[in-house]
């Protein structure tokens, strides 16, 4: 066995798996599994691009996820420029199972309650196909920033990223979501092959602490579910205390929550590190004891007709005019935005998506820590708008009047990702959409024969 396991963990697994325990422990001597999901917002299934990626990285399908694939570590797709373009998301194959079981649908209002780094949120968004509203929440600020970056990289237009505790969201959005994904913080027993440090953090006391925290999060999640809505609870641990026992306690405390199915992925039975998923449904009438907080739309602090409201309205109108001017000058066709509204966060212009029922609006964000209030369109400058990186990643090459296409294996592509200035011969001044083999990667601004690099500094590769 290549991984040294705590004796208390060994004893627990032997009690749990009995005659299967030996095969389970032998799996620790095997190499960990690697996987990625193709992004259906950019790569259509069975398209030439899908086949190109399958051949490039020698991908093998994951049986429980139609967009999921295994790859061998030497191929390193996370280091390829296609990753920066958002064509796929690196994700452990077992973890792909939860969203498949949740089965999100276009047009729904969906919450991913503990969403960082974004694997399940981006998978949900792919299934929503740009329709409806996705709220991706992460309580830890640094992880919420990473979540927002991944939402942007994948070209998602209909998502809001929040940074709030579950009880804060529950106080605002009771009976507000058609589906909720809760990939709960856990003891991480399914991470032992991937992350040896997780072994050192394990203890029976840590398992008990995780189970108590999971119960607390679920108690806040359930009131936010609409009657008839579904909640997927998942962990990357094998612990019965954090899985079946948590679900049993929840259904006892909330008898209107019905377990529709549970699934386990074991590393000695499946090609994956391991995952647990339970799908629950909130039966009609279960929301009645929470009826006092049913509206998703909290009272607005903006008083129509007030001087402050008029100033906000004018500032947004001016910013939208600048965006429209940019789009007319540099885009041959604008991206199709979901139903929503333009809002300003300081000098940053966003498009805030609305839910299909019209309950979500800018007032929903009042007092709520929000990392990404929708699609970032750009930064408002004096009499102009500087386009956002997120906007570039929602476009297609044919939407730009001035695309600059770089080959994925070229020195120019590597230089662009390092943030370097490029020499160009386009003869066109102003903003250019930089693409990698036709897939948008970011912005550059042409002046003379130089392209000033606007790839975000925080994403640039080291020189």
């Amino acid at each position: 066995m290549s991984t040294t396991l705590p004796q208390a963990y060994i004893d627990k697994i032997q009690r749990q798996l009995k005659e299967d325990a030996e095969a389970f422990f032998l799996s620790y001597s095997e190499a960990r599994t690697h996987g990625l999901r193709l992004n259906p917002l950019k790569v259509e299934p069975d398209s030439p691009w899908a086949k190109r990626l399958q051949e490039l990285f020698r991908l093998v399908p994951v049986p429980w996820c139609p967009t999921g694939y295994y790859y061998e570590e030497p191929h390193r797709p996370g280091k390829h420029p296609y990753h920066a373009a958002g064509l796929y998301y690196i994700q452990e194959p077992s973890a792909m199972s939860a969203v498949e079981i949740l089965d999100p649908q276009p047009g729904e209002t969906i919450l991913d309650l503990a969403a960082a780094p974004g694997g399940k949120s981006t998978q949900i968004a792919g299934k929503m196909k740009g329709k409806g509203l996705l709220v991706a929440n992460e309580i830890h600020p640094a992880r919420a920033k990473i979540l927002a970056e991944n939402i942007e990289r994948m070209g998602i237009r209909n998502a809001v990223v929040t940074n709030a505790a579950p009880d804060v969201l529950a106080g605002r959005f009771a009976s507000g979501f058609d589906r909720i994904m809760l990939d709960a913080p856990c003891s991480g027993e399914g991470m032992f092959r991937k992350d040896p440090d997780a072994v050192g953090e394990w203890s029976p006391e840590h398992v008990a602490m995780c189970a108590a925290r999971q119960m607390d999060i679920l108690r806040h999640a359930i009131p936010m579910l609409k009657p008839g809505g579904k909640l997927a609870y998942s962990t990357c641990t094998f612990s019965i205390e954090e899985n079946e026992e948590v679900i049993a306690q929840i259904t006892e405390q909330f008898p209107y929550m019905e377990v529709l199915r549970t699934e386990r992925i074991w590393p000695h039975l499946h090609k994956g590190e391991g995952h647990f998923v339970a799908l629950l449904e909130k039966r009609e009438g279960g929301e009645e004891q929470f009826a006092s907080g049913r509206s998703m739309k909290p009272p607005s602090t903006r008083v129509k007709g007030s001087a402050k409201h008029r100033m906000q309205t004018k500032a947004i109108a001016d910013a939208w005019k600048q965006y429209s001017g940019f789009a007319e000058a540099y885009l041959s066709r604008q991206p199709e935005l979901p139903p929503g509204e333009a809002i300003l966060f300081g000098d940053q212009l966003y498009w805030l998506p609305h839910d299909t029922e019209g309950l979500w609006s800018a007032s929903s964000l009042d007092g709520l820590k929000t990392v990404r209030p929708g699609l970032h369109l750009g930064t408002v400058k004096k009499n102009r708008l500087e386009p956002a990186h997120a906007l570039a990643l929602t476009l297609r090459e044919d939407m730009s009047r001035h695309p600059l296409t770089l080959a994925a294996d070229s020195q120019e592509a590597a230089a662009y990702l390092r943030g370097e200035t490029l020499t160009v011969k386009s003869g066109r001044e102003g903003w250019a959409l930089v693409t990698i083999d036709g897939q948008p990667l970011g912005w550059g601004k042409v002046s003379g024969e130089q392209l000033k690099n606007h790839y975000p500094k925080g994403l640039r590769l080291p020189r």
Side-chain angles (χ1 to χ4, degrees), residues 257-332:
M257 294 299 295
E258 179 182 1
V259 180
L260 300 182
R261 64 183 287 196
T262 60
E263 296 286 345
R264 273 188 180 269
I265 294 176
W266 291 96
H268 64 296
L269 299 176
H270 312 95
K271 190 175 180 181
E273 300 303 292
H275 223 63
F276 171 86
V277 187
L279 182 67
L280 298 92
E281 182 176 45
K282 187 176 190 178
R283 292 197 296 266
E284 298 287 340
E287 82 284 4
E288 289 178 359
Q289 70 184 79
F290 303 103
S292 61
R294 292 180 62 170
S295 174
M296 274 193 66
K297 191 174 182 181
S300 174
T301 59
R302 299 175 175 88
V303 181
K304 291 184 178 181
S306 68
K308 182 178 180 181
H309 180 265
R310 289 194 299 271
M311 289 176 63
Q312 289 174 333
T313 302
K314 184 179 184 304
I316 292 170
D318 289 345
W320 186 255
K321 184 178 179 181
Q322 291 178 17
Y323 167 75
S324 299
F326 163 82
E328 183 177 349
Y330 298 108
L331 301 182
S332 57

Side-chain angles (χ1 to χ4, degrees), residues 405-423:
T405 300
L406 306 176
D409 57 357
S410 68
Q411 293 182 358
E412 290 81 4
Y416 178 78
L417 289 169
R418 291 193 298 267
E420 297 174 13
T421 298
L422 303 184
T423 300

Side-chain angles (χ1 to χ4, degrees), residues 417-419 453-461:
L417 289 169
R418 291 193 298 267
N453 198 311
H454 282 262
Y455 194 66
K457 291 182 179 179
L459 301 178
R460 293 176 180 178
L461 300 179

Side-chain angles (χ1 to χ4, degrees), residues 7 28 68 76 78 81 134-135 146 149 165 169-170 227 245 247 273 310 325 371 407 419 449:
Q7 187 60 48
Y28 282 98
R76 306 183 75 186
L134 169 62
V135 178
I146 295 169
E149 289 175 352
L169 295 177
E245 289 184 7
I247 296 303
E273 300 303 292
R310 289 194 299 271
V371 180
E449 293 188 350

Side-chain angles (χ1 to χ4, degrees), residues 8-234:
Y9 174 71
I10 294 173
D11 295 342
K12 184 171 77 78
I13 290 293
Q14 287 175 332
R15 290 192 300 269
Q16 184 174 346
L17 293 184
K18 299 180 174 60
E19 63 272 10
D20 287 340
E22 182 178 358
F24 173 81
F25 289 127
L26 284 173
S27 71
Y28 282 98
S29 63
E30 300 172 0
R32 55 169 285 204
T33 53
H34 299 268
L36 62 79
R37 279 184 300 97
L38 299 185
N39 180 4
L41 301 177
K42 293 175 178 280
V43 179
E44 292 285 338
D46 300 320
S47 67
W49 262 105
K51 292 172 181 163
R52 180 177 188 170
L53 294 171
Q54 289 167 26
E55 292 172 1
L56 177 64
F57 301 122
R58 299 183 184 178
L59 303 179
V60 177
V62 172
W64 49 81
C65 178
T67 57
Y69 295 88
Y70 299 102
Y71 69 89
E72 297 300 324
E73 186 175 10
H75 296 301
R76 306 183 75 186
K79 301 293 185 181
H80 198 281
Y82 292 158
H83 180 265
L87 302 193
Y88 47 82
Y89 188 98
I90 305 296
Q91 187 177 28
E92 195 280 310
S94 301
M96 302 174 189
S97 60
V99 172
E100 295 301 322
I101 290 172
L102 180 62
D103 193 26
Q105 298 297 311
E108 292 182 329
T109 304
I110 300 176
L111 170 66
D112 189 356
L113 185 52
K120 291 177 172 65
S121 284
T122 56
Q123 191 174 359
I124 290 168
K127 290 183 174 294
M128 294 177 75
K129 301 177 181 178
K131 296 178 172 61
L133 172 66
L134 169 62
V135 178
N137 180 73
E138 173 57 45
I139 191 171
H140 300 288
R143 286 170 56 80
K145 182 181 177 184
I146 295 169
L147 169 63
E149 289 175 352
N150 281 320
I151 291 285
E152 292 185 350
R153 181 173 60 85
M154 303 298 273
I156 297 166
R157 302 174 185 174
N158 61 322
V160 171
V161 178
T162 56
N163 172 214
D167 61 321
V168 172
L169 295 177
R172 287 171 169 261
F173 305 128
S175 299
F177 297 97
D178 297 291
R179 296 178 204 254
I180 295 176
M181 180 72 243
L182 174 55
D183 188 38
C186 68
S187 60
E189 294 169 359
M191 301 284 286
F192 286 180
R193 275 198 310 195
K194 176 181 176 181
D195 181 10
D197 291 340
V199 179
E201 295 172 2
W202 188 92
S203 69
E205 294 76 20
H206 184 55
V207 169
M209 183 273 289
C210 288
R213 180 171 55 187
Q214 291 152 1
M215 285 293 299
D216 185 58
I217 298 172
L218 277 167
R219 290 190 191 102
H220 294 302
I222 289 170
M224 291 190 279
L225 198 60
K226 293 179 182 179
K230 293 181 174 63
L231 182 150
Y233 170 84
S234 70

